[in-house]
Amino acid sequence: MDVQQNESGLPSLPGQFEPVRVGRRLFLRFAGALTAGGALLSACKDEENPTTVMATVDLGSGDVGILNYAYALEQLEAAFYTQVVSTPFSGITTAETQILTDLRDHEIIHREFFKAALSTNAIGSLTPNFTGINFSDRSSVLNTAKAFEDLGVAAYNGAGNLIKDVNYLAIAGKIVSVEARHAAAIRDLLNPKSADFAGDDVVTPSTGLDAATKPSGVLPTAQRFVRTPISGANLPTA
């Protein structure tokens, strides 16, 4: 695949972003091709050792900064679901295991996409902080998942108009649609057969549109779950 650089210094992507079925072989093929081409949240406590000082990660500016912003959020979600699947909560059902495993695989694919697209412009691996989550408790896990997915959807919606490269904007639009499916699936696990899959807290009744939150509103919330200090000071705002 012929990869050209756009004005932001990022590899230009083909116009089509083909859907990918989750699976090790397909995932590796997908990743290789890309390489070529809150209340609940605020309640979590950061118990990091105060004597440990970690270097601040600057997300950057322009499209590089916005893609790193998305990459940081996908790192967080991938790490969360990886932990969920590795240490299942008490009483987890076969159906819940399948759903959470699918979500884990999707988030890993999203994470690896941004890492490959950014190439040498990508930030490093972030260190998660999940000390406030009880992974053995179903309610703790699913409500945290709900908060993460709702935050992710609002984050993509709020950053969409900040992306200049139309190819990346199109892909971000496809990824956020998957994140919205995740959010609906988690809400249905919490409240089966209810209208909560698109509750008034995330979809404005008068417009029928999902919430949209700018990076300045998302990062402080996400930071509670990441030990690595993250700075979005140079991200575009308009």
Side-chain angles (χ1 to χ4, degrees):
M1 180 166 58
D2 183 20
V3 180
Q4 299 179 344
Q5 298 290 319
N6 60 27
E7 61 182 10
S8 300
L10 295 167
S12 296
L13 298 181
Q16 297 297 318
F17 186 59
E18 298 296 336
V20 179
R21 290 181 62 83
V22 173
R24 177 177 173 79
R25 181 176 300 176
L26 289 177
F27 167 69
L28 292 175
R29 185 189 306 166
F30 174 78
L34 288 173
T35 302
L40 172 67
L41 300 178
S42 62
C44 289
K45 180 180 179 182
D46 185 350
E47 297 178 4
E48 181 180 357
N49 185 338
T51 64
T52 301
V53 178
M54 305 183 75
T56 298
V57 170
D58 191 307
L59 297 176
S61 60
D63 279 3
V64 169
I66 295 300
L67 264 63
N68 267 321
Y69 167 61
Y71 178 39
L73 296 176
E74 296 296 352
Q75 284 194 50
L76 173 59
E77 289 187 300
F80 169 72
Y81 286 114
T82 295
Q83 181 66 43
V84 169
V85 174
S86 298
T87 57
F89 54 76
S90 178
I92 191 170
T93 67
T94 300
E96 290 170 338
T97 298
Q98 184 60 62
I99 290 172
L100 293 169
T101 300
D102 285 346
L103 267 58
R104 177 202 63 185
D105 292 344
H106 295 167
E107 302 300 1
I108 288 174
I109 290 174
H110 296 169
R111 181 194 69 195
E112 293 304 302
F113 163 71
F114 285 112
K115 181 178 180 179
L118 284 157
S119 186
T120 57
N121 293 306
I123 60 173
S125 297
L126 304 176
T127 302
N129 172 27
F130 295 146
T131 55
I133 304 170
N134 182 357
F135 284 95
S136 66
D137 179 73
R138 181 181 188 273
S139 178
S140 177
V141 168
L142 294 185
N143 277 292
T144 301
K146 173 184 174 181
F148 279 165
E149 296 297 349
D150 289 347
L151 182 70
V153 172
Y156 274 101
N157 288 341
N161 70 328
L162 304 177
I163 301 174
K164 303 305 180 185
D165 188 296
V166 294
N167 291 316
Y168 286 114
L169 178 59
I171 291 171
K174 293 180 179 182
I175 291 177
V176 72
S177 70
V178 176
E179 299 290 350
R181 290 173 186 265
H182 291 178
I186 293 296
R187 284 167 169 262
D188 190 59
L189 288 179
L190 285 166
N191 296 294
K193 299 181 181 180
S194 75
D196 189 48
F197 74 94
D200 291 353
D201 56 325
V202 287
V203 177
T204 304
S206 61
T207 64
L209 299 177
D210 269 312
T213 307
K214 295 299 184 183
S216 59
V218 171
L219 285 174
T221 302
Q223 184 67 76
R224 298 189 179 100
F225 293 88
V226 181
R227 294 193 186 280
T228 311
I230 303 171
S231 172
N234 294 310
L235 292 178
T237 58

